[in-house]
Amino acid sequence: MNTLSIRHLYASIGEKPILEDLNLDIPQGEVHAIMGKNGSGKSTLAKVIAGHPDYTVTSGDVLLHGESILGMDPQVRARLGFFLAFQYPMEIPGVTIANFIRAALQARLPEGEELEATDYYAELYAKMDTLGIPRSFTARSVNVGFSGGEKKRCEILQMMMLKPRCALLDETDSGLDIDALKVVASGVNALRSSEIGMLVITHYQRLLDYIVPDRVHVMAAGKIVLSGEKDLALKLEAKGYDWVSA
Amino acid sequence: MNFEKKSEINIDRSLGDFSYDVDYTFDAGVGLSESTIDYICDVKNDPDWVRSFRKEGYRKFLEKPMPTHWATKDLENIVFENIRYYLSQGSIPKRTWEEVPEDVKKTFERLGIPEQERKYLAGVEAQFDSEAAYSNIKAAVGKQGVIFVGSAEGLREHPEIFRKWFGKVIPSGDNKFSALNSAVFSGGSFIYVPPGVKVAHPLQAYFRINAQNFGQFERTLIIADEGAEVVYMEGCTAPKFETATLHSAVVELVALKGAKIQYITVQNWSSNVFNLVTKRGVAYEDAQIKWIDCNIGSRLTMKYPGVVMKGRRARGEVVSIALAGEGQHQDTGAKMIHAADETSSNIISKSISLGSGRATYRGMVHVPKHLKKCKNNTECDALLINTQSRTDTYPAITVRGQGHSVQHEASVSQINEEQIFYMQQRGLSEAAAMSLAVNGFVNDLVEQFPMEYSIELKRLIDLEMEGSVG
């Protein structure tokens, strides 16, 4: 079973086509990486899968565990187990991280069922410890005044709490120093299992030293142009992206 | 996500849209005349001085023009002849829960007051229409010498304190609506806290309007004697009726030397209510008055709690939250009158406009020339939800003389579509995301409300937001 299947996907923003005939399968339990130059459509792909209203899918399909998710509201896709770690996480002034994650978990429960607060905090604190996040963090407003590293850690914390079946990390390594990168990667690796499929979008091969992918895909001009084993990332690093398009 | 396309706002008022039959023993009929006032005086068995106070109020009400030079035209739609100025259940204030009429209990039940809050109700002065239907002073408060009664009982039983301050902070001729209130007032609370007494628990009152076309004109007077401290809370919800209802209260606070008064209001009027309230306090030397005010609902609210800082180092504060829903106009703000040296005032106002709602901040800060070292800080932030939502800010800050410090900050923001998308990606519905963002916007102010009120406030905001999207 594929966690995520993308079939002949065409998508545009306004009149401008960005994704053109993109095909990709991520089997359950695998971690794939997408690499590519700026403007190759990597982040668009992430937003289209998440259901961002600015993008229009003109043809093709996106299947989550065999079920087409196109046409579903973003929150429905999320509740089906899709998680996107944002490249630029949004600030939500006045809403604490603890309350935000709690609201997100609560939204997944059937009507009338309440999240057990004690269990919730126990789990939250345990995961924060894993990511080296101090307790005081929970009282801060989501992403407000966070450093780049704090934002990314906060994304991974949310991912660990929401336990997705399919996770997409959009340039999670950008703006991270090597220590923060290691912490974030350890969080991702802790989540790796036969149950989850992951897609890691990155510009640099550096992240892939810590999150070792099963497959690497290279994206250019809105489609996958090359796929290979993990050593493909190293080749790219050595030869540059022009080597692919050449 | 396109907000313009989602202009259809259906505010869920199921919490407020109901009424039960109540047997009104006394009814002054519709319209206002000298004989209406005599009827009220006779029914309430008012002393002569109150009768002449009411009649003077009535004369001023007729004389005073509507505040049309700046107020919204909607005020002209109040038809004074169609309003019922006095209704009574004919019941004297009740002391225990058991004595409270079943209808009233049912109403509280329907409002969903949680168990914890019902405990609070044991010490609550709750007004059901014109008369206090339920009033039970906590034993501890009574033992401290605190007087907490309905205004009718206050003027009858404690005339020596009542008369000294009644109508002094807000003279009946202050504005047309304070004059109207002076003419026909009934209900409201009278509180006196003796010198040095600090009331540990907030005193509470719960107001509702429950008769069609019935104006509620409660009158509250709170006096904190030297060094005394008291917190008073009022909450309002009103059932919805087809024709307009007028609510026009007058609240006077007196904080003597070194005293502290906090007055907290959370209200959720139905969208046909004109809510035109005059609230003002006088703070003497080293005294502090703080208004914490939350306005949700109503057709038009005009309310500018004020503090006159009459003694040295007195402090006045207004913290307000306004939510203007579809078709509603919240015209709120604050008045800070500095009348002594080294006085300080602080105004923090946050408003949310959704649908065609309009929120207006109107603030007056006055520091005359002869004073020294006065301080004012004003912050007003507005949040617009839909493209047709509206907000205006009219700060009037007059500072003369030197050595004063005045700060004013204002901001207008809109909920960002990317924020909503981010929250939706985490599994929240669009409405829940909006609700969370709005609650976040007012969160620092909501935290200033007592726990049970802040919970209710969040619930009210959620209810309003539920209908505002999709």
Side-chain angles (χ1 to χ4, degrees):
Chain A
M1 175 64 116
N2 286 325
T3 291
L4 188 71
S5 287
I6 301 171
R7 300 263 175 271
H8 304 293
L9 188 66
Y10 288 77
S12 55
I13 184 160
E15 297 293 302
K16 192 184 168 200
I18 299 184
L19 301 183
E20 294 187 275
D21 197 20
L22 192 138
N23 290 280
L24 183 66
D25 280 319
I26 301 174
Q28 192 172 324
E30 291 192 10
V31 175
H32 289 204
I34 288 188
M35 301 182 74
K37 280 206 266 192
N38 283 333
S40 58
K42 303 190 300 288
S43 284
T44 295
L45 176 62
K47 286 187 173 161
V48 167
I49 299 171
H52 193 288
D54 285 355
Y55 298 88
T56 316
V57 172
T58 45
S59 76
D61 208 350
V62 177
L63 308 165
L64 188 67
H65 282 261
E67 186 183 0
S68 173
I69 56 169
L70 294 180
M72 288 178 178
D73 280 340
Q75 68 271 24
V76 179
R77 302 178 192 205
R79 291 174 201 165
L80 283 174
F82 176 72
F83 182 92
L84 171 62
F86 283 66
Q87 184 178 4
Y88 304 109
M90 297 306 296
E91 297 186 357
I92 315 169
V95 178
T96 64
I97 289 167
N99 282 342
F100 183 55
I101 298 176
R102 194 173 172 174
L105 285 168
Q106 182 68 48
R108 287 162 166 77
L109 295 179
E111 182 116 1
E113 213 173 290
E114 280 287 323
L115 196 69
E116 180 54 57
T118 340
D119 296 347
Y120 166 66
Y121 278 101
E123 191 185 347
L124 182 67
Y125 289 149
K127 304 240 149 106
M128 284 166 65
D129 291 346
T130 316
L131 293 171
I133 298 173
R135 295 285 155 90
S136 60
F137 205 69
T138 51
R140 290 174 64 183
S141 293
V142 178
N143 295 319
V144 178
F146 283 19
S147 69
E150 284 173 328
K151 282 185 183 168
K152 296 300 161 74
R153 262 184 243 213
C154 181
E155 292 293 288
I156 302 303
L157 175 64
Q158 292 174 51
M159 181 170 84
M160 292 172 92
M161 289 301 289
L162 298 177
K163 303 181 190 71
R165 298 195 296 173
C166 176
L168 200 166
L169 284 73
D170 188 7
E171 307 229 4
T172 298
D173 51 335
S174 66
L176 292 189
D177 61 32
I178 204 76
D179 291 333
L181 190 69
K182 281 182 187 167
V183 173
V184 165
S186 74
V188 173
N189 288 329
L191 218 63
R192 281 180 96 148
S193 76
S194 58
E195 302 298 311
I196 188 173
M198 286 199 233
L199 183 59
V200 178
I201 292 176
T202 182
H203 198 69
Y204 305 104
Q205 109 86 21
R206 188 178 69 148
L207 179 68
L208 306 181
D209 288 341
Y210 302 96
I211 303 172
V212 181
D214 296 296
R215 304 263 312 158
V216 174
H217 309 276
V218 182
M219 200 169 162
K223 63 175 88 170
I224 304 291
V225 291
L226 188 65
S227 298
E229 303 292 314
K230 59 181 180 249
D231 55 347
L232 178 58
L234 294 168
K235 270 189 207 164
L236 277 172
E237 184 89 339
K239 300 187 176 180
Y241 285 109
D242 291 338
W243 161 71
V244 178
S245 37
Chain B
M1 174 174 351
N2 192 336
F3 294 123
E4 292 114 288
K5 286 179 190 157
K6 288 166 182 165
S7 58
E8 205 56 45
I9 307 272
N10 276 312
I11 286 172
D12 181 355
R13 287 226 160 255
S14 58
L15 277 180
D17 292 355
F18 54 91
S19 68
Y20 295 98
D21 289 337
V22 169
D23 180 20
Y24 294 101
T25 316
F26 298 107
D27 178 353
V30 296
L32 184 59
S33 67
E34 189 108 1
S35 63
T36 321
I37 289 165
D38 279 321
Y39 179 86
I40 295 171
C41 292
D42 293 343
V43 166
K44 297 181 74 78
N45 203 10
D46 279 339
D48 289 343
W49 72 269
V50 175
R51 191 182 293 258
S52 43
F53 179 86
R54 287 184 187 278
K55 292 204 169 164
E56 193 199 331
Y58 177 60
R59 275 192 299 277
K60 285 178 176 159
F61 167 69
L62 295 178
E63 279 166 31
K64 285 268 167 190
M66 283 290 226
T68 43
H69 58 292
W70 55 267
T72 151
K73 287 251 180 281
D74 197 20
L75 271 186
E76 290 164 17
N77 294 317
I78 301 173
V79 183
F80 290 103
E81 298 80 55
N82 292 349
I83 289 168
R84 218 170 264 277
Y85 290 89
Y86 184 76
L87 279 176
S88 160
Q89 279 186 289
S91 51
I92 53 159
K94 296 290 189 292
R95 292 290 169 188
T96 67
W97 186 245
E98 283 67 37
E99 290 172 69
V100 175
E102 281 308 310
D103 282 0
V104 182
K105 283 184 186 170
K106 228 156 63 177
T107 302
F108 283 132
E109 187 108 24
R110 187 68 180 74
L111 282 169
I113 297 162
E115 210 63 46
Q116 266 179 324
E117 244 171 279
R118 286 184 199 175
K119 279 180 202 158
Y120 266 94
L121 281 170
V124 154
E125 171 91 353
Q127 179 168 354
F128 195 68
D129 290 352
S130 312
E131 291 296 336
Y134 178 73
S135 146
N136 185 2
I137 308 152
K138 277 182 182 163
V141 177
K143 270 179 215 154
Q144 286 181 301
V146 175
I147 300 167
F148 178 24
V149 294
S151 65
E153 190 180 336
L155 67 87
R156 264 198 314 272
E157 307 295 327
H158 309 277
E160 69 294 340
I161 319 170
F162 194 93
R163 278 189 81 167
K164 187 175 173 190
W165 298 105
F166 182 70
K168 299 297 193 298
V169 183
I170 302 171
S172 54
D174 187 82
N175 63 71
K176 194 173 185 72
F177 294 97
S178 64
L180 178 62
N181 176 284
S182 299
V184 299
F185 74 89
S186 63
S189 302
F190 170 66
I191 295 169
Y192 170 76
V193 186
V197 171
K198 294 177 173 57
V199 183
H201 298 282
L203 303 176
Q204 288 201 348
Y206 207 94
F207 297 102
R208 287 174 49 76
I209 296 179
N210 194 41
Q212 196 161 4
N213 256 5
F214 162 50
Q216 187 163 5
F217 304 95
E218 80 263 11
R219 181 101 194 184
T220 288
L221 172 61
I222 301 175
I223 300 142
D225 214 323
E226 294 191 1
E229 289 178 20
V230 64
V231 176
Y232 183 78
M233 310 201 286
E234 60 167 343
C236 311
T237 54
K240 190 176 185 178
F241 294 113
E242 281 166 17
T243 49
T245 306
L246 174 63
H247 174 250
S248 191
V250 168
V251 178
E252 297 175 288
L253 308 182
V254 179
L256 295 173
K257 191 176 171 182
K260 285 184 190 168
I261 302 177
Q262 244 189 68
Y263 193 103
I264 302 164
T265 305
V266 174
Q267 61 181 26
N268 178 23
W269 297 112
S270 62
S271 53
N272 57 334
V273 171
F274 284 94
N275 182 38
L276 311 165
V277 174
T278 312
K279 289 180 164 176
R280 196 174 305 151
V282 176
Y284 287 83
E285 200 175 312
D286 292 311
Q288 295 181 20
I289 289 179
K290 183 173 187 175
W291 298 96
I292 302 180
D293 208 51
C294 178
N295 301 292
I296 295 177
S298 84
R299 170 174 175 172
L300 169 67
T301 288
M302 287 169 64
K303 191 205 273 181
Y304 324 97
V307 182
V308 180
M309 287 148 278
K310 220 172 177 174
R312 217 171 151 179
R313 291 180 301 271
R315 181 171 170 79
E317 221 175 325
V318 172
V319 172
S320 81
I321 301 172
L323 197 157
E326 183 66 36
Q328 299 174 347
H329 186 182
Q330 304 284 1
D331 196 316
T332 60
K335 285 183 183 176
M336 291 296 181
I337 312 296
H338 291 256
D341 290 343
E342 295 169 65
T343 48
S344 59
S345 59
N346 187 30
I347 302 168
I348 302 175
S349 154
K350 288 199 178 187
S351 70
I352 301 138
S353 312
L354 58 121
S356 63
R358 177 181 173 190
T360 303
Y361 168 80
R362 216 178 281 280
M364 182 210 259
V365 176
H366 184 73
V367 182
K369 196 176 176 182
H370 65 276
L371 298 184
K372 291 183 196 74
K373 291 185 183 172
C374 294
K375 278 185 198 163
N376 166 260
N377 176 55
T378 302
E379 289 169 40
C380 40
D381 300 317
L383 184 68
L384 300 172
I385 304 291
N386 307 76
T387 44
Q388 75 271 35
S389 313
R390 179 174 168 186
T391 184
D392 334 60
T393 302
Y394 305 102
I397 301 176
T398 318
V399 181
R400 297 201 170 82
Q402 290 180 341
H404 305 300
S405 143
V406 178
Q407 272 190 75
H408 179 258
E409 276 176 51
S411 77
V412 179
S413 50
Q414 224 169 345
I415 292 185
N416 184 318
E417 293 186 13
E418 295 297 327
Q419 279 177 314
I420 299 296
F421 175 67
Y422 182 70
M423 290 188 263
Q424 282 182 291
Q425 208 301 304
R426 298 303 184 245
L428 299 170
S429 68
E430 193 182 348
M434 284 282 209
S435 198
L436 202 60
V438 169
N439 270 305
F441 172 70
V442 294
N443 190 45
D444 54 334
L445 300 194
V446 169
E447 279 174 355
Q448 300 208 28
F449 286 81
M451 177 72 104
E452 69 275 19
Y453 266 38
S454 59
I455 291 167
E456 188 173 330
L457 208 53
K458 283 177 182 161
R459 209 177 64 205
L460 287 176
I461 291 172
D462 287 347
L463 265 176
E464 293 287 331
M465 299 314 298
E466 263 172 33
S468 74
V469 288

